[in-house]
Amino acid sequence: MYYAVDYYADMGQISQDCFAATKTGTFELDMDELDDLDQVTQVIGYHPQFHDHFLRTQNFIMKGDGPLPNDYRYYLAIIAAARHQCPYLVKRYEKEFINQGGDSAWLDGLDFIPAKLRAIYDINKILAHRPWLLRKEHIERLTKGKNSWSLSEVVHAMVLLSHFHSLSSFVFSCGLTQKLDGLSSPKLKSPPAVVASPTTTNTPLDPQKTVLSEISLNNAKPDYNSQTAANNNGGAEPGSGNATRGASDAAALNGYLATAQQPPQQHGISVEALMERMKVLSQKQDECSEAELSSRFQKVEQQTAELAAVTPEAAVAVPTNLSHYVDDANFIYQDFARRGTENINTFRIQDYSWEDHGYSLVDRLYNDVGTFLDAKFRAAYNLTYCTMGGIKNVDTSKFRRAIWNYIQCIYGIRHDDYDYGEVNQLLVRPLKMFIKTACCFPERITTKDYDSVLVELQDSEKVHVNLMIMEARNQAELLYALREIMRYMT
Ligand SMILES: CC(C)C[C@H](N)C(=O)O
């Protein structure tokens, strides 16, 4: 069964140039392939415009044409998720691995897998935590000698690993781990919603209606007829429509209300104040010198390193049932600003960007994947409903850009034309902490972290922030990976 979905209808300004030639294109969504609408994809379904691109990419890299055999693909998903101690994903892909005919002995751990597969583990570790340490020598080692990898296989693996590292961030930041994994970790309330129904009404947002019952969550299939969704010009935030919602689930509802009823922004600024700041920033005319821009970036980077989000006491030991997939568990994120004497420079987007470099390289080495990834990144970057916590017609682009660039700053990536002063104007400390923890130590996210940020926003808006975290992080890892592939090739 196929549904045509508007493809580039709402990619926003940034994408317009690149996609001018294909603007009227449509893609066909193969519903039969989308058989794994698990909780993660259901929550992403809050944002249908992004949801399509996410699923299409995931389906392509897991099931589509590509150099790696199936068992490698699933195993890479497992070891990527295990790096972030994400039982939800590990269990899910262990099951898939077996269903696909994988050798069950591999599930005993890293000591039981082929030497070739084992050899990519270092890249998994580095990409997950300190991608700036990746060197072309890592790639060289893999592609030489016995059991060597082809370059296309390495790229496929890197795409898979970075996808599942970032997805682990999303799973934890949305609190999706509690229900399925059966393990105890401090997590959030029940995941809120399945695919939002499209709406053309401009009714005020109703937080209570954004919560679905467990039953509907488990049984619901997203309604793909409804994927016209909101758009830049007046679409309403998911949850504002009148879809069939099992709002009767008292527990889930109470979970939501516990958040909604908190006094606004105890730990930050109110939505009104934020909007005012965005307005002032967009009216600002003064040009900054190159030196000033650079020092503002460094300041944000330095402050990030000082954030106490990730105190050692908060560290969570690798659950024993995952430890056989983890080697060198002590290798974790280290602040880029504290990289010490390693002589590593800031990654400058003007020298290597996704649009100008990464996209075409990845597309060349692993057929068409660049196109999928590109559409997904754009969808995440440009997604907006022009709302903020129930207020309509808000231009949120500055806020969203600050979030995206802040995430990449955590990984030492600088967008040269961006004034990082805006990050400090628009992202309050608790939000920065949440973002940093979600990116770098997702397993440490707690209910308190989630509840204490953006308290005036809808759950769907928090999911929106979480999906930006996932995608900006995914892109950051890929930028480092592909730059080294390029260096290796030249
Ligand atoms: C993350 C949110 C504040 C995004 C906002 N709801 C928008 O539509 O752009």
Side-chain angles (χ1 to χ4, degrees):
M1 190 181 351
Y2 289 97
Y3 294 94
V5 179
D6 240 0
Y7 197 23
Y8 295 122
D10 177 31
M11 288 300 187
Q13 210 128 53
I14 311 268
S15 59
Q16 275 171 14
D17 298 342
C18 288
F19 284 102
T22 50
K23 227 168 184 164
T24 54
T26 59
F27 69 73
E28 289 178 328
L29 192 60
D30 181 350
M31 290 299 294
D32 299 330
E33 275 187 14
L34 304 182
D35 54 355
D36 53 356
L37 294 168
D38 59 5
Q39 274 187 301
V40 173
T41 48
Q42 288 178 47
V43 171
I44 294 174
Y46 251 141
H47 300 284
Q49 282 182 314
F50 172 75
H51 181 258
D52 289 337
H53 297 293
F54 176 84
L55 275 191
R56 288 173 62 80
T57 306
Q58 187 167 271
N59 270 295
F60 184 75
I61 63 180
M62 297 306 284
K63 297 178 182 168
D65 286 347
L68 288 177
N70 274 349
D71 49 0
Y72 271 50
R73 298 182 194 198
Y74 289 101
Y75 205 82
L76 288 168
I78 293 169
I79 59 171
R83 247 355 279 180
H84 281 310
Q85 306 165 32
C86 185
Y88 177 99
L89 292 175
V90 170
K91 297 273 164 273
R92 179 173 152 68
Y93 285 99
E94 278 179 339
K95 221 188 270 170
E96 294 262 5
F97 175 84
I98 295 296
N99 290 346
Q100 297 291 323
D103 178 352
S104 58
W106 295 15
L107 302 186
D108 289 336
L110 299 173
D111 296 338
F112 301 88
I113 59 176
K116 174 173 170 177
L117 185 52
R118 182 69 178 80
I120 204 157
Y121 193 84
D122 262 2
I123 291 187
N124 178 33
K125 187 178 91 175
I126 293 169
L127 276 184
H129 308 292
R130 302 180 211 167
W132 54 89
L133 293 184
L134 194 71
R135 288 289 161 271
K136 67 177 185 191
E137 286 73 21
H138 291 111
I139 296 152
E140 205 164 59
R141 251 176 264 146
L142 274 183
T143 52
K144 298 257 152 70
K146 223 174 112 208
N147 295 324
S148 63
W149 292 66
S150 72
L151 207 49
S152 292
E153 287 176 329
V154 177
V155 170
H156 191 173
M158 286 169 155
V159 168
L160 284 163
L161 292 169
S162 58
H163 178 88
F164 287 101
H165 296 149
S166 316
L167 190 56
S168 303
S169 284
F170 184 80
V171 165
F172 280 111
S173 59
C174 291
L176 290 179
T177 59
Q178 200 168 32
K179 232 177 103 223
L180 292 192
D181 59 30
L183 295 169
S184 59
S185 51
K187 291 298 153 353
L188 311 176
K189 55 193 173 280
S190 305
V194 296
V195 171
S197 166
T199 173
T200 49
T201 60
N202 274 334
T203 49
L205 302 175
D206 179 357
Q208 300 194 13
K209 287 187 177 167
T210 64
V211 180
L212 276 184
S213 71
E214 289 287 318
I215 296 164
S216 57
L217 218 149
N218 290 332
N219 299 331
K221 286 270 181 259
D223 171 8
Y224 282 91
N225 290 313
S226 41
Q227 299 215 341
T228 49
N231 61 40
N232 273 337
N233 303 317
E237 187 79 20
S240 63
N242 56 359
T244 313
R245 296 185 179 92
S248 58
D249 185 299
L253 191 56
N254 288 340
Y256 179 79
L257 292 177
T259 304
Q261 286 169 359
Q262 284 184 21
Q265 292 292 358
Q266 281 169 320
H267 308 282
I269 57 169
S270 67
V271 163
E272 267 91 1
L274 190 56
M275 284 167 56
E276 185 53 33
R277 287 191 188 181
M278 288 195 289
K279 205 165 123 203
V280 172
L281 286 173
S282 54
Q283 285 161 353
K284 226 176 67 187
Q285 298 288 337
D286 51 328
E287 287 274 303
C288 260
S289 68
E290 170 56 29
E292 177 59 21
L293 284 177
S294 168
S295 98
R296 288 185 188 182
F297 171 80
Q298 274 162 19
K299 187 171 166 200
V300 173
E301 191 178 79
Q302 192 55 46
Q303 287 169 338
T304 300
E306 283 154 17
L307 279 182
V310 285
T311 49
E313 314 85 70
V316 182
V318 182
T320 41
N321 62 345
L322 298 190
S323 58
H324 54 300
Y325 295 127
V326 180
D327 180 34
D328 193 7
N330 292 329
F331 187 91
I332 55 175
Y333 176 81
Q334 180 192 50
D335 288 293
F336 188 79
R338 296 197 207 282
R339 63 200 178 282
T341 54
E342 287 155 3
N343 197 18
I344 292 157
N345 295 325
T346 299
F347 189 118
R348 297 182 65 177
I349 284 291
Q350 76 180 29
D351 299 334
Y352 198 90
S353 69
W354 169 257
E355 290 81 6
D356 295 338
H357 310 92
Y359 173 14
S360 51
L361 182 63
V362 77
D363 223 39
R364 187 144 45 93
L365 289 169
Y366 170 19
N367 55 341
D368 299 340
V369 78
T371 310
F372 285 105
L373 289 166
D374 190 59
K376 178 168 67 88
F377 291 148
R378 286 170 194 279
Y381 189 91
N382 293 319
L383 186 69
T384 182
Y385 305 85
C386 303
T387 60
M388 207 164 208
I391 303 174
K392 283 181 272 171
N393 299 322
V394 186
D395 177 0
T396 61
S397 53
K398 285 212 173 280
F399 182 62
R400 290 180 292 108
R401 191 174 183 200
I403 291 177
W404 188 279
N405 288 352
Y406 182 65
I407 294 156
Q408 300 201 331
C409 165
I410 292 171
Y411 292 98
I413 297 176
R414 178 178 163 213
H415 293 252
D416 307 68
D417 58 344
Y418 182 66
D419 175 3
Y420 285 81
E422 294 193 5
V423 165
N424 277 349
Q425 288 284 314
L426 301 175
L427 309 187
V428 292
R429 208 179 143 89
L431 178 57
K432 283 183 178 165
M433 256 174 187
F434 179 79
I435 292 173
K436 180 177 173 183
T437 312
C439 282
C440 310
F441 304 94
E443 64 282 0
R444 299 183 195 175
I445 294 264
T446 65
T447 313
K448 203 170 138 253
D449 297 325
Y450 180 87
D451 284 347
S452 62
V453 293
L454 302 169
V455 298
E456 283 182 82
L457 296 195
Q458 308 290 313
D459 261 4
S460 63
E461 290 179 303
K462 291 194 179 195
V463 173
H464 188 164
V465 170
N466 291 341
L467 68 83
M468 280 195 285
I469 293 174
M470 167 163 70
E471 294 307 318
R473 177 183 177 191
N474 188 184
Q475 192 183 67
E477 278 191 40
L478 279 177
L479 281 172
Y480 278 108
L482 294 168
R483 188 180 65 170
E484 275 337 282
I485 295 272
M486 181 215 44
R487 284 178 173 162
Y488 168 72
M489 289 169 73
T490 48

